[in-house]
Structures are given as C-alpha cells and as structure tokens.
Amino acid sequence: MEGEIWRVIYREYGSTGIALSVIGFGGMRFENQDDLDGSAELVLQAYENGINYFDTAPLYGKSEKIFGIAFKEMKKTRKERPFFVSTKTLQEDPTKVREDLEKSLKKMDFDYIDFYHVWAILTPDAYQRRKAKNVLREFERLKEEGLIRHICVSTHMTGEDIGDMLRDYPFEGVLLGYSAMNFAYRDHGVATAALLKRGVVVMNPLGGGIIPNHSDRFDFVRTQENETVVEGALRFLINDPRITVALVGFANQKQLAEAISAVEGFKPISSEQIENIKSGLNRSFDKLCTSCRYCDYCPVEIPLPQLMESYNHLELNSDYFITRVGLHWGLSLEEDYAARCIDCGLCETLCTQKLPIRERLKIVQQEIFRRKNKSDAGTGCC
Ligand code: SF4
Ligand code: SF4
C-alpha cells in the first residue's frame, strides 16, 4: 500500500496494515529540550505536515515528556488523522520491562504504545540473553493485555545477524541504522526484513549529521538539480521500497522543512543513479571505510569493521566518535583492542579500500583512551 496524502508519502509497515509516513520524527535531537513547549510545537508542525510516526525512548532526555505535550493536542484529531508512537526498553528483566512501559505510558498519557521495541540489540549474544531472560515472552504478555500493539526490535548488528534474528523471532518490524554512508553494512538485514514482510524503520539516515556537515564530499547523493545533500540522502532512502520510514532526529524547523521538501519533490531514482550513489562513497572517499565488512576475519577477533567505521568519524571531525564506539557499536571503552593485534596483515589484504587498518587501529585506540572520559557521548547514537 502506498499513497500520497498531505505532503508526505505513506507506506505499509510490514504486514500490519498500518500506513506510515516515509519520514518519521525521531525525538532524540531537539535543539533545546528545556523548552518543552517550543519542542512540542515542532512535533505538532511535523504532524500538521503529514508525518505520522513518532519515535522516542526513555533515555532521550525529556523527549517522552515533550511528545506527551504534543500528543495531548494531536489526540483531538487522532481519529481522522491517525498517528503512531514508538518507544523502547533496554531492560533485561521482564518486571522492569513492564515498569519501563508503564512509565512511558504515563509520561505520554496513553493506554497503549503502537510500536514497542526491544531496544539496542548490539550482538547475537545480547539477543539470546534477552530471549533467555523471557523479555520476548513479557512483550507477548503486554501485547495480549493490549498495552502494546506491535513487537519490534532495534539493533546495531550486522545485516547478516539481523537477518538471523528476524528469522528466529517474528518481530513485526526492525529499527536499524542505514544511510547513504553505511548501507553495505546492513543491507542484508533490510533485504531479509522485506522478504519476511517486516516493517523497516531506518535511523541515522543522515549519518549522524556527517552527511549535511560534509555536503561537498557527499555531493554524489544528489540526483536532481538544485537538491541539497540532505534531500538527496533522504530520497536515496525513500526510493527504496523495502524501507518503510526514514527516521530523522529533528532539531529545528529548518530541518523539518528540508525533510518535507525531500518528500514533496521526490521523483523515482533510476537504478543507474542508485548504483552511482553506491559507488560514490568510493569515489568521493578513497580513504573512508565503507562498512563492507570484508575485514571481519581478524584471527584475534578485533571488531575491525566497527572500529574502522568509528575512524570515519575521526576523519570527518564528528563530535560523536566516542558515542559511535560505545553507544552505537556497544564496544567497551576500557579494552585495548590494538594491543591484541598480532600484526598478521590479513585485514589489510582483505580490505576493499586498501586502508591502512593497523595504523588506524592504533589511532582509534589512542582516541578512545584519550576521549573516553570526556563527554562527546550523547545523542549521536541515532
Ligand atoms: S593485522 Fe591485526 S587487526 Fe589485522 S587481522 Fe591481523 S591481528 Fe587482526
Ligand atoms: S574491509 Fe576496509 S572498507 Fe570494508 S569494513 Fe573493513 S576497513 Fe572498512
């Protein structure tokens, strides 16, 4: 099901029958969270423009509270203009899962949550652990009780691991990081989700701010004259029918307007143009890791794809390097990965970009130790 209503395109989330706007509102980057009413106004404006998917989480600062203020107003028109709410829990103890849900319901003043996520599955072990601790069973109970409508999962795992997880459990949808910058890393997960008819919401569609902050180097995402790189990067995702929603963490009205304009001016992108975008990463960044994961065979199990992707953030002067390593990839900031290297050189032989992985590993390690106690950790995860 796909159609155009208001100013946004809508797509069905998996096989739920629910039509969601292809641009969703991610509530993790409000410019000034202390301005509750001003932030809620931004949410209302998104709703007025046809956005109907709103994603938050208990650890996004005052996000649930801000959404709660906006939802109070939006509830007045929910019948004729439905909207859908997504939130999450990190808890591994079923009792605490329920407590988290109750808190979210209270903060946003709802009787149920539309899309409730098992939050931030970083590794297959972490998935198995939550399963073994009956987290999924608790989600099923909450659904039976009508407190949640759909059981979903959010993850930063590789595409292959995501595929395995979706085959293992009938999550109705998955939330994962995917953009013109790292599509190779999770493409298999997106393909599996589409095959199994699960919803796909992509977070970090602008590479955690890297794409707009380096518009000259991401020029290759533009397929129309006069479009911005933000529009180009969003249209790259909108063009992919496997993706239900691209979740943008809006900070202000300008960003909202740009995303709406990306949808309004959307024209199908040819497969040739898509291939051109995909190869653009290599052309524009001969020194950047493309997340292809060919190096993921380190004999001492150093998580090279994750560390090399984090190196990109150093290379592009991103503020979110530590967030990337710790929060996004779930890697320990205490471990000395570089010290484990036995200098076999296999990774560099395998690297599609012929990157100096060993040298970068040392730099990444130094930066982890140097920055770990400084607070660049924050909202760059999604
Ligand atoms: S050179 Fe070091 S990092 Fe690369 S594969 Fe060998 S042990 Fe792993
Ligand atoms: S093989 Fe090279 S480009 Fe691919 S993930 Fe590893 S470091 Fe990155």
Side-chain angles (χ1 to χ4, degrees):
M1 181 166 77
E2 187 162 327
E4 291 198 34
I5 320 168
W6 306 96
R7 300 173 66 185
V8 175
I9 300 167
Y10 295 82
R11 276 193 193 138
E12 183 177 348
Y13 183 88
S15 48
T16 61
I18 296 176
L20 296 180
S21 49
V22 286
I23 295 291
F25 194 121
M28 76 295 284
R29 291 186 203 268
F30 291 106
E31 206 159 60
N32 178 8
Q33 284 212 351
D34 291 330
D35 179 6
L36 296 177
D37 290 335
S39 301
E41 182 56 34
L42 189 65
V43 179
L44 283 171
Q45 284 176 12
Y47 178 57
E48 292 303 325
N49 279 284
I51 287 176
N52 71 358
Y53 184 84
F54 297 89
D55 175 271
T56 181
L59 299 181
Y60 291 169
K62 296 177 181 163
S63 177
E64 287 189 330
K65 204 166 175 186
I66 291 166
F67 273 141
I69 295 169
F71 292 154
K72 190 173 176 193
E73 197 58 32
M74 288 156 62
K75 279 179 194 164
K76 295 175 187 164
T77 49
R78 193 171 193 180
K79 247 192 183 149
E80 58 272 32
R81 287 166 49 205
F83 66 90
F84 302 90
V85 179
S86 149
T87 189
K88 321 174 180 87
T89 177
L90 275 177
Q91 301 293 351
E92 294 192 347
D93 171 345
T95 312
K96 292 197 168 139
V97 167
R98 184 173 287 266
E99 283 171 15
D100 259 13
L101 175 66
E102 283 167 355
K103 281 185 207 154
S104 293
L105 289 171
K106 195 169 171 209
K107 268 195 206 154
M108 294 188 280
D109 191 23
F110 281 123
D111 297 329
Y112 64 87
I113 295 293
D114 300 286
F115 300 98
Y116 201 47
H117 289 78
V118 178
W119 190 12
I121 296 288
L122 301 179
T123 62
D125 283 353
Y127 167 60
Q128 291 302 340
R129 200 170 54 242
R130 287 205 220 176
K131 206 173 148 191
K133 291 187 174 178
N134 285 326
V135 166
L136 300 180
R137 182 67 200 102
E138 184 63 14
F139 266 64
E140 287 160 9
R141 266 194 288 268
L142 295 170
K143 188 174 175 185
E144 282 155 21
E145 291 171 34
L147 296 174
I148 63 176
R149 292 273 164 98
H150 304 285
I151 300 174
C152 311
V153 64
S154 102
T155 178
H156 299 304
M157 290 194 297
T158 66
E160 284 73 13
D161 289 339
I162 292 170
D164 291 346
M165 179 175 68
L166 295 180
R167 287 184 191 284
D168 184 68
Y169 187 83
F171 289 108
E172 291 164 87
V174 60
L175 172 61
L176 46 83
Y178 190 87
S179 72
M181 221 182 119
N182 74 350
F183 55 85
Y185 193 79
R186 299 207 177 86
D187 201 63
H188 183 81
V190 173
T192 308
L195 190 74
L196 299 174
K197 298 204 179 333
R198 315 288 174 81
V200 176
V201 178
V202 300
M203 54 184 153
N204 228 345
L206 302 175
I210 281 187
I211 295 176
N213 289 339
H214 298 272
S215 52
D216 49 336
R217 297 182 78 181
F218 281 95
D219 195 57
F220 61 86
V221 300
R222 298 173 56 249
T223 55
Q224 292 181 35
E225 228 175 295
N226 298 328
E227 80 177 350
T228 63
V229 289
V230 168
E231 289 169 335
L234 291 177
R235 286 170 184 158
F236 167 73
L237 300 173
I238 294 167
N239 193 66
D240 189 336
R242 304 171 305 172
I243 294 171
T244 322
V245 175
L247 199 57
V248 184
F250 294 115
N252 52 44
Q253 282 183 15
K254 183 175 171 285
Q255 291 176 1
L256 176 62
E258 198 164 17
I260 297 288
S261 144
V263 185
E264 278 188 318
F266 173 73
K267 293 191 191 100
I269 306 174
S270 71
S271 49
E272 200 179 309
Q273 286 172 311
I274 287 292
E275 283 316 309
N276 198 37
I277 292 175
K278 289 186 171 177
S279 59
L281 259 190
N282 295 344
R283 286 195 315 275
S284 193
F285 295 97
D286 59 346
K287 292 197 309 211
L288 214 66
C289 167
T290 56
S291 297
C292 69
R293 294 182 48 239
Y294 276 75
C295 61
D296 203 8
Y297 294 96
C298 172
V300 289
E301 296 184 353
I302 300 173
L304 291 172
Q306 294 89 330
L307 291 171
M308 292 303 107
E309 195 275 349
S310 302
Y311 179 90
N312 287 350
H313 289 253
L314 285 179
E315 177 84 12
L316 294 168
N317 299 320
S318 156
D319 290 336
Y320 298 122
F321 170 70
I322 283 293
T323 307
R324 206 69 195 160
V325 178
L327 258 184
H328 184 93
W329 293 120
L331 299 177
S332 163
L333 302 180
E334 305 303 326
E335 194 159 337
D336 192 342
Y337 301 101
R340 274 167 33 197
C341 176
I342 55 170
D343 233 8
C344 70
L346 177 65
C347 52
E348 291 178 14
T349 309
L350 296 174
C351 180
T352 52
Q353 306 303 305
K354 296 293 162 235
L355 301 177
I357 294 179
R358 285 173 283 186
E359 187 189 312
R360 289 189 178 188
L361 180 60
K362 286 183 194 147
I363 296 170
V364 164
Q365 191 65 64
Q366 281 165 8
E367 288 302 312
I368 291 174
F369 285 159
R370 194 174 71 80
R371 300 186 191 202
K372 68 178 176 181
N373 295 324
K374 296 188 185 159
S375 57
D376 85 342
T379 56
C381 170
C382 305

